Structures are given as structure tokens and as C-alpha cells.
Amino acid sequence: MNVINCRVEKKHLVSNDINDKLCLLDTGSPITLDKNHPFMDGIVGNTGLDIDYLMGCDYLMQEGAIGFDIRDNKVVLKDSEEGCTEGMARMFCGVPILKCGLSHKYDTPPRDVECAFDTGAMQTFISRNALKELGIDIEKEKAGTEDEFLPNGHKFKVDMVMVNAVIKDDIGLGFQWLRCAVFPEGMENLYQSLGDNVEGIIGLDIIGNSTFTLGKESSSLDVMFTGKSYRDTIDMID
């Protein structure tokens, strides 16, 4: 078991624990990149951080599993049998994929949406197709915009919408509002490259307020939302 002390700086998850270098911890990347990689110029320029390495899943999941408790400033590399529940996630092209239950309103049944678990993304994203199937009118229900950028440095704005996530707390099942970004038109390849069923990205806006344990073969997800007097969790039952 290896504990990495981490912190969120300028909306990005970083650590100085790996060889005393400033590292961006990015589960959305299957591979680790050093500062000489062409992508790193865009990442360094847009984050405003002098990053030495982007640590991908090849490093972060080298022990078989990884635990995140960013509120406690810890990332733990550990054995895949420890804390992972069968059937909660899968790996695709070296990136962890989770299944989330989302709905439009409190009284509508949740729809399973597969999302890439990406600590390198500032925002949580949902595809236009998934939002349409949830009955969300993006233009009428837009909840502001946010700035984003691609690894190559390209900047763009994203529309934000509100969706409900299935919540399981001490009382029972309920819902929690989440503010999610909408994939811009023409950029669907951002998630489609991760498989036909992937329709979103779980970003640091959720991961930073949550606790997760991810394994290469299976994972448990325990999402702990802040600002509540009780402990909320997204129900990830398959």
C-alpha cells in the first residue's frame, strides 16, 4: 500500500510526493507523460501549473486498485482485492468506467449512464444524447457556462445543466442535484473513444467531494456530498 498526499490546486489534482516533482494525477489518461510530451505544453499553459509529469492509470493503478479521499488529501495505491465490490466498474483502454443512475426529475426513473472516471477533468460531463433521453431540454434548462480546455490546449466553453443522481443515505433512496457540463456539438469523440456505451465523464467537481475505491476488475463507489448534515452516497448498484 502506497499513500500519495495530494491537493486540489487551480481546480486540478496534484501531488509533490512522487520524486519531489509536481505531478498531475489523471485517471482519464491510460499512460504517464513527462513535461517534454507535446500535450504537456497545452496542459501547463491552461492550468497555470509548472507540471513535471502527468501520472496516468499505468502508474496510479499499478498495484491493481486505487482509493481516493481528496477531502482528506490522500490517494492510496493498494491491492485490487481490498475495498472493491464486484461488478461496479470496468476498465476500457486503460481508463476506469463507472455506471451512474441519473434522472431528470425526482419522480422519473433513473437511467444508467456509463461515465469515465477522470481526475484530470475539471467538470463532470454528460452527452447530449443521454440528456435528451433523460428529457432535459439543454437550451431551456441551461444552468450557466464554464470554461474548459483539451489536452492540446484548445479552450472552449461548455453549457451546464442540472441532473438528479440516485442517492442512498441513512434514510433510504433519494436524489441529489448535480451540475453537469454538456459535451459541445462536434466533440462527441471525447467520450466515444472510450466505447459505444460511454456517455459521460465524472470530473474533479464530484471526485473532489467524494470517496472512491477503483479496481482494475471491479470497483466500489461511495460518493460523499458535502454541505449536508447526513452522509449521502450515489447508489451504484448494477
Side-chain angles (χ1 to χ4, degrees):
M1 184 179 294
N2 181 20
V3 178
I4 300 174
N5 293 303
C6 64
R7 66 187 183 278
V8 175
E9 187 172 338
K10 296 184 178 180
K11 296 185 178 182
H12 290 84
L13 184 63
V14 298
S15 174
N16 291 100
D17 268 15
I18 305 171
N19 297 328
D20 294 322
K21 301 292 186 180
L22 182 61
C23 298
L24 176 68
L25 308 182
D26 187 356
T27 57
S29 173
I31 59 172
T32 294
L33 308 175
D34 67 19
K35 66 190 314 177
N36 296 317
H37 192 281
F39 272 172
M40 292 299 285
D41 288 339
I43 292 172
V44 169
N46 281 291
T47 60
L49 299 170
D50 190 17
I51 299 166
D52 295 296
Y53 293 96
L54 181 151
M55 309 306 296
C57 281
D58 55 346
Y59 177 87
L60 295 173
M61 300 192 74
Q62 62 180 307
E63 302 294 331
I66 186 168
F68 289 90
D69 190 351
I70 298 173
R71 293 170 306 165
D72 198 29
N73 299 315
K74 290 180 181 179
V75 171
V76 183
L77 311 186
K78 55 187 178 179
D79 182 85
S80 60
E81 296 301 318
E82 185 176 353
C84 295
T85 304
E86 183 177 357
M88 295 294 184
R90 61 186 174 89
M91 297 292 291
F92 188 85
C93 294
V95 175
I97 308 296
L98 301 182
K99 187 178 290 185
C100 303
L102 302 177
S103 68
H104 184 193
K105 299 178 180 179
Y106 293 108
D107 57 353
T108 58
R111 177 186 184 274
D112 285 339
V113 177
E114 288 198 348
C115 299
F117 183 93
D118 187 358
T119 57
M122 292 186 292
Q123 261 88 230
T124 292
F125 282 81
I126 303 296
S127 75
R128 290 176 177 272
N129 179 65
L131 292 171
K132 182 178 179 180
E133 291 192 12
L134 289 173
I136 295 175
D137 187 317
I138 298 170
E139 294 303 319
K140 292 181 179 179
E141 302 181 51
K142 187 166 69 173
T145 61
E146 295 287 348
D147 294 321
E148 260 290 357
F149 66 91
L150 297 177
N152 63 8
H154 173 69
K155 297 180 180 180
F156 59 97
K157 284 190 177 291
V158 292
D159 293 331
M160 307 295 290
V161 295
M162 303 299 295
V163 300
N164 281 299
V166 179
I167 300 299
K168 186 178 181 182
D169 57 37
D170 294 338
I171 301 173
L173 288 178
F175 294 90
Q176 170 73 42
W177 283 107
L178 299 178
R179 187 168 177 259
C180 299
V182 182
F183 277 113
E185 293 186 47
M187 296 180 66
E188 290 86 356
N189 60 314
L190 280 173
Y191 65 91
Q192 288 177 342
S193 62
L194 295 171
D196 292 339
N197 295 324
V198 176
E199 297 183 286
I201 293 174
I202 297 176
L204 200 59
D205 53 346
I206 291 178
I207 299 170
N209 292 321
S210 315
T211 58
F212 296 84
T213 301
L214 302 177
K216 287 185 177 179
E217 301 299 330
S218 58
S219 297
S220 63
L221 170 59
D222 186 20
V223 180
M224 313 306 295
F225 292 96
T226 58
K228 292 276 188 178
S229 60
Y230 55 91
R231 294 163 64 86
D232 292 336
T233 59
I234 284 185
D235 180 21
M236 300 296 290
I237 298 174
D238 195 349

